Structures are given as C-alpha cells and as structure tokens.
Amino acid sequence: MEKLRLIIAREYMTIVGRKSFIVMTLLIPIIMMLCMALPAAIAYFNNTASEAETVAVIDESGRYGAAIADNDLFHFVPLRADTVPNAHEFYKKANGQLAAVVVIPADVDSTAAVTVYSENTINVSLKERISRQLSDTLTRARVASYGVPGLQRMIDESSVSVDLKSVKWDDAGNENETSAEVALAVGLILAFLTYMFVLLYGAMIMNGVIEEKTNRIVEVIVSSCKPFQLMMGKIIGVALVGLTQLAIWVVLMTIVGAIASTVFAPAALSAAGSMEGVQAAMEASDNFDMAGLVQMVMSVNYVPILVSFVLYFIGGYLLYASLFAGFGSAVDQASDASQATTPIIMIMVVALYAGMACIENPNGPMAVWCSMIPFTSPVVMMVRLPYDVPLWQLALSIVLLYATAAGCVWVAARIYRTGILLYGKKHSFKEILRWIKG
Amino acid sequence: MSNLFIEVKDVVKQYDGHVALNHVDLNVPEGCIYGLLGPNGAGKTSLIRIINMITRQDSGEVLMNGRPMKLDDIAHIGYLPEERGLYKKMKVGEQIVYLARLKGMGKLDARNTMREWLARFDLTEWENKKVEALSKGMAQKVQFIATVIHRPRLLIFDEPFSGFDPVNAEQLKMEILRLRDEGATILFSTHNMESVEAVCEQISLINHSQVVLQGYVDAIKQQHKQNIIAVELQGNKAIAANEALYSLLPPPAVGKATHIQLKTGVDVRDAIAWLNDHYALAGFHEVLPSMHEIFIETVKTA
C-alpha cells in the first residue's frame, strides 16, 4: 500500500506541477465561455457590421410591391412591372448595387409563388424575410377576399398558444414546477463531462504508460513494485488530478457566479448554490424571471443525481482508464497509440450520440439498453438521470458497470505486465490474447 | 568457501514457444562479483528478470540466503538495467528519493543518503535540476545512485559500463569494488570481456539459453590454456621451429616476444631447457587465453 501511495503521489504531483496543467485548467473554462458566446457574437456582428442591402421588388400583380418591409439587413425598393421590361438587364445595369431582384407575378393570389433572382447565392435571411412578409400579406388578402366582416379579427383572437407548465408532485402532493429544459441541460452537462473526462484523462494515462515504456524506466520501477501497483497508481493518480481540476472549476464558477449575482440579481441567485444554477442564471440574468428560473433549477432533485453521477463517473473512468493503460503498454510509441485507441474513442463517441438521442425518449428501449451496456452507460445514464430512472435499472446498470470495470482492470493488468517489458515490435491481437491467458 | 547468497536451481522459462532459459543453475556466493556472460539474446536478461521477480520462471526455483525468494526480498536488490531510463521531467533529487522509497527506504534516510551520493559524484548542484538537463554521463551516474542508494545486498548490473567514458567507467568500477568490500554481492551481466577479467571472480557463460561454462575465472583460464609460452630473446635473433618440442605461432600484434605452442605431452621444463641451451633467453611466461578468446571459442563450438 505504501508503494501504491508513493506512485499515486508521484503521478499526481508530476501532472499538477506542470505548467500545461495550470494553463489548461484556467483556459478551458474561458474557451468554453467563448464557445457559448461565439454564436451570439457572430449574429451580432452579422446584423450590424454591414449596411443594408438593396433589393428590387418588381410587382407584376400591382398590389403587393410595398408588402415587404425593410429591416436592418435589407432595403426593399418596389418597382412597377412596366418600368422594368427585363429583370436581368435591370440587375446588370445596377452594377452590383442590387443584392437581388424579387418578382411578384400577376397571379400571385392564386399560386402564392414568388421568385427571387440574383447572380450571387441568395442568403437564407433574405429568403425568410420575403416569404414571411408576403405570406402574412397574402393570407390577410385571402381572408379579406371572403368578404366576411371582422373575419380577420376573429381569426386573430381565436389563435391560441398554450402555455404549458409542468408540475411535479412529491410524495406529499406538494407542487414543484419543473422544467424539461433544465433537466435536459443538467443531464447533458453531466454526460458531456463524463465523456470529456474519460477521453482526456484516459489519453493522459496512456501517454504516461508509453512515456515510462519508451524511457525504459519501467524496468527499474517494476523491479521495486508489482506492475499492477504501477498501473493502478497511475490510474488513481490521474483520477485525482481530474478531480482537482473539476474542483478548481467549481470554485471558479462559484466565484464568477457570486460576482454575477451581486451585479445582476442578488436575491434570486443567493438561493442557487449549484454550478448549473449559477450558469443558467447568468445566461438569463437580465431578461427572465430570475426567481422562477432558479426555482426550476432547484426543483431538479440533485442529491440522487450527484450520487449516481459520482458512481458512474468512477466506474466509467476505471473501465476506460484501464483499457487505455492496457493499450498503451502494448504499443511502442505515441505514434502507434492513436491507432490503438481508435476503437475506444469510437465507443465513446457512440455513447455520446446515444446519450443525445435519448433526450427524445429518455425511457425508450434504446435509452434503457444503452444505459445498461457498461461501455455506454456512464454517458447515457447521465442523460436519463433527471427523468427518474427506476431504481432496479439503476442498480442493475451500476452492478454491470462495476463488474465490467473490474474485468477490464484485470485484463488490462495482464496485458500491462507483459506489454511494458516488450520493446521493438508490434504485437498482434492474437499475441495480446495470449498475454491475457498467460 | 563463503555461503551462497543467490542460488538459481534448474530454472526454465519459455516465451511464446521459444525457450529463453533451459534448466539453468547458478550459484552466487555472498560478497562475490559474479559475471553473467553471453551473446545478445542468450537469455541473460530473462534470468536477471527472474531473479528480480519481474517475471516468474516456469519451473525451478531461486533461493536467496538459502530460502526461496519472496516478493519482499526485492527490497534487497538493486538493479541497473541495460536500457537506462529516468523520468525526464523529474528533478534529480526527487527522482532518486522516489526510487529509493519504492524500495522501502524512509523519506529522511533516502534524502540524506541521496545527498551523500550526489556529493560523491560531484552532482550536488544538480539536485534540483530536471533530469532532462543532465548530460548522458551524468544521467548514468544518477541512475547508478538510484540503483545502490537503498544499500541492497545484491546488485545486478546489466552492461554497467556501456555509455561511460573511460574516466567515469573507472570511477564506477571503483564504486562497485567499494560496494563489494562493504559486503554487497554483485551480479554482472555483460558481453564486454575486459571488464569481466578486471573485476569478476566467477562467471557463468550462457549461450542459447543454457549455461555452457561456469566457475572461477582463474580455473577456467587454466582449463582453456593451450600451452602457449611467450619467449623473449636477447638481441634480435629469431627462434627456429622445433618439430619435437613446439611449433611457432604467428607473432602477436604487440610486443616482440615469440609465441610458441608446446606439442602435446611436452613438459614446459623440457622446452625451456632446450631453448635455454640454444638461445640467450631474456624471459618467458605462460600465455593464458583471454576471457574474450574463451568466450568466442566456447560460443562457436557449442
């Protein structure tokens, strides 16, 4: 045990002491925030950076030329059809001043067909603008054509949008407003966290194994301890590194959240202790009903979710980390490693996609199966968790996961103890099977 | 005779159908410098790994001090593998202490001993530098320190002198002899025969997974001597052949002595007496084969 402790401590200190660890720990949250902010920023710059483009509207119908209103992006100029005998020539003569030409045919009332021409590719927002505005106008025109007085008003008033609240009872019948979106976000965040963690730290383990092997230090180490101790020391040490990183992020988020809360909505946020709460609240801070949102965020029952998350996280990590260690010991150089890990990464990607697919139907057969199979369950179950998974399924899935993880550790240990001492040639799958049996 | 420290008894090891060690016996007396010789691929590393308990033999046993080896016994072994390696990103001092503690040394003891050894090798100022900053020779010394720091009773060196320049190799040799004098038993694996003659008392020659020659270096040389005598004459006269007593050998590369090989059954004294009668002798001595020659001869004929 003393040796294991030493190995864990060394692994931990070496990685945490690296500059790259400190940089990555600080950089990843920033990058993630940038990623979230990027779409908004792009949209913002798209909408404001350029001047509005001019679009000619040739109105053969004589009624709808002015139907399309300008917006920030486009300025529409209605023209009477008889002033423009040839649309293409007209476009040419404009010398690039025109972005496009819209032709509203004379029979548009019956066909509802309109064409937009340009020598450039016509962008989506223009098409949307034209079709939405004309659809509205044409609909109104058609309604009016029935000659029923007040029909338009009736239609307007009879259009209903249902405001669906979902309320979850607890045992005592107390009502808690829940939000599927919040549950979904929590599940996805946890699934993604598991996925990232396993891949990131799995790769770290593998690189460590390969480094020791190419360094040849491994021979000295295993003359002092069992290969199994070295492997487990590495796996546990790296796990602790990951948890440290996670803890740092949680603290950072909480600090950022606390600052945000004092700036934006002190009362509402003081209730939100959790990371998700802070995050969701931050995003929504100025245009939502803060208290309501926070209540929804809090209504998800976190304790069982977090407990299961930790269990799945550890099990899944153990399973994949041991595979990475085993594969790492069987290859000679980092360059061969990517080939060896392709199957592992593919399984992880499948798990992530399965998890996303399960959002649609978190208790459907696919979700249930994928949350049972140990290789996908750590990711998929995270998505299902907020939707109250039956206890027997949880138990079965966890038992399966840990049994498989134990099996993987056993197999990896057998590959490892042989692989680390063999240099200079590639090992066939058959050979590796022999190591496992031996 | 001193008692045996390591006994390898009838050890067999197979890898994937090929036999790495075929019924190997080895007896290493306590306090001895023992040479394990053999061409590459003969099975030396396999044997060393078994003694180190890195791998396990298929059959046979290894005794330490008369008892079958247990896992705890590896704390008494210091192993310097042929392929050297250290954690490049770790600091010299930390690394030595880490390896020492893995062998079971206390933290404080490890640190103090590490400083003593660094001082002995003039590496004190490098204690807090990373290994990657060291020259190759310095890294080798660091590795040597890591091998011996926990005061092992058995030291296993696999090609210890490879990668050392002559000055450092000499320093290393002196350290090894000093450790032997302090009571350590040393197992030396090499195919560098000169170093064997310089330090080893006993050897085992392994070829094709089997021990083909074993014993005291002196005795082996006597066994393999071919009755060759180097004769030096006064002046520049040449020795003529003598059909009855000896034949002339091609002159050696260095020195001006003539090498003669006695015919079978001829007594040295008769040949010398005859030579003394016919030539003015300046000196003569028996030429024993070098370990290198014995090695090559044995490996060829085996």
Side-chain angles (χ1 to χ4, degrees), chain A residues 104-183:
Chain A
I104 302 172
D107 57 353
V108 68
D109 276 320
S110 54
T111 59
V114 173
T115 315
V116 53
Y117 299 93
S118 175
E119 283 184 0
N120 301 316
T121 311
I122 295 156
N123 74 41
V124 179
S125 52
L126 175 58
K127 283 204 254 185
E128 219 180 83
R129 182 80 190 162
I130 296 167
S131 88
R132 187 169 303 163
Q133 299 257 310
L134 277 179
S135 299
D136 266 14
T137 312
L138 286 172
T139 308
R140 282 169 182 280
R142 208 172 273 184
V143 168
S145 73
Y146 293 123
V148 181
L151 181 59
Q152 183 62 48
R153 190 176 50 81
M154 286 186 241
I155 289 174
D156 286 348
E157 281 174 3
S158 55
S159 145
V160 174
S161 154
V162 175
D163 176 22
L164 183 67
K165 263 189 200 171
S166 44
V167 171
K168 203 172 135 191
W169 283 316
D170 61 14
D171 282 341
N174 293 324
E175 291 181 2
N176 284 310
E177 208 172 326
T178 69
S179 153
E181 285 76 23
V182 171

Side-chain angles (χ1 to χ4, degrees), chain B residues 5-140:
Chain B
F5 189 63
I6 291 290
E7 293 166 77
V8 174
K9 292 190 166 175
D10 202 28
V11 161
V12 176
K13 176 77 189 173
Q14 290 196 5
Y15 290 108
D16 286 346
H18 105 266
V19 181
L21 294 170
N22 189 4
H23 300 282
V24 169
D25 289 284
L26 199 72
N27 294 315
V28 185
E30 186 150 24
C32 169
I33 299 186
Y34 197 102
L36 194 58
L37 318 182
N40 291 325
K44 288 174 298 182
T45 304
S46 297
L47 181 58
I48 287 175
R49 282 181 179 169
I50 286 171
I51 297 175
N52 260 317
M53 304 195 75
I54 293 174
T55 50
R56 208 172 351 172
Q57 64 271 31
D58 299 335
S59 68
E61 59 177 348
V62 181
L63 307 183
M64 181 185 262
N65 256 337
R67 289 176 294 101
M69 273 188 76
K70 300 187 306 296
L71 202 56
D72 292 345
D73 290 331
I74 55 174
H76 303 301
I77 301 180
Y79 174 37
L80 184 71
E82 177 176 8
E83 301 276 4
R84 313 291 156 72
L86 295 164
Y87 290 112
K88 291 195 179 68
K89 304 276 180 198
M90 244 176 137
K91 287 175 185 165
V92 171
E94 279 174 15
Q95 175 132 311
I96 295 173
V97 169
Y98 171 66
L99 292 172
R101 293 189 67 200
L102 268 188
K103 282 287 189 186
M105 251 183 144
K107 195 175 186 174
L108 218 67
D109 187 20
R111 194 174 296 156
N112 291 334
T113 321
M114 174 267 292
R115 297 217 165 106
E116 279 168 32
W117 274 102
L118 284 182
R120 186 172 293 155
F121 279 112
D122 288 327
L123 290 171
T124 303
E125 61 197 293
W126 295 88
E127 184 186 328
N128 289 314
K129 298 261 169 48
K130 284 186 179 170
V131 170
E132 60 189 351
L134 300 182
S135 72
K136 200 178 168 209
M138 286 193 280
Q140 299 260 29

Side-chain angles (χ1 to χ4, degrees), chain A residues 2-7 10-11 14 18 208 211-212 214-217 219-227 230 234 417 421-423 425 431 434-435, chain B residues 15-16 45 48-49 52-56 71 74-75 77 79-90 95 98-99 101-104 143 146 158:
Chain A
E2 174 63 14
K3 285 178 185 174
L4 186 62
R5 201 190 60 75
L6 278 170
I7 294 165
R10 194 205 79 88
E11 279 308 319
T14 327
R18 272 185 215 151
E211 189 203 341
E212 279 173 356
T214 47
N215 255 352
R216 307 293 162 105
I217 184 138
E219 194 152 350
V220 175
I221 307 278
V222 295
S223 74
S224 308
C225 71
K226 284 185 246 166
L230 180 58
K234 204 172 260 311
R417 67 171 190 198
L421 292 172
L422 288 182
Y423 306 109
K425 64 173 193 150
E431 244 178 293
R434 245 198 322 264
W435 301 350
Chain B
Y15 290 108
D16 286 346
T45 304
I48 287 175
R49 282 181 179 169
N52 260 317
M53 304 195 75
I54 293 174
T55 50
R56 208 172 351 172
L71 202 56
I74 55 174
I77 301 180
Y79 174 37
L80 184 71
E82 177 176 8
E83 301 276 4
R84 313 291 156 72
L86 295 164
Y87 290 112
K88 291 195 179 68
K89 304 276 180 198
M90 244 176 137
Q95 175 132 311
Y98 171 66
L99 292 172
R101 293 189 67 200
L102 268 188
K103 282 287 189 186
Q143 184 133 34
D158 200 349

Side-chain angles (χ1 to χ4, degrees), chain A residues 20 289 382 426:
Chain A
S20 63
D289 164 21
M382 288 308 114
K426 285 198 173 170

Side-chain angles (χ1 to χ4, degrees), chain A residues 35 88 94 123 143 151 175 260 262 271 298 308 310 333 374:
Chain A
C35 284
H88 190 223
N123 74 41
V143 168
L151 181 59
E175 291 181 2
T262 48
M298 295 311 288
S308 348
V310 168
Q333 297 152 14

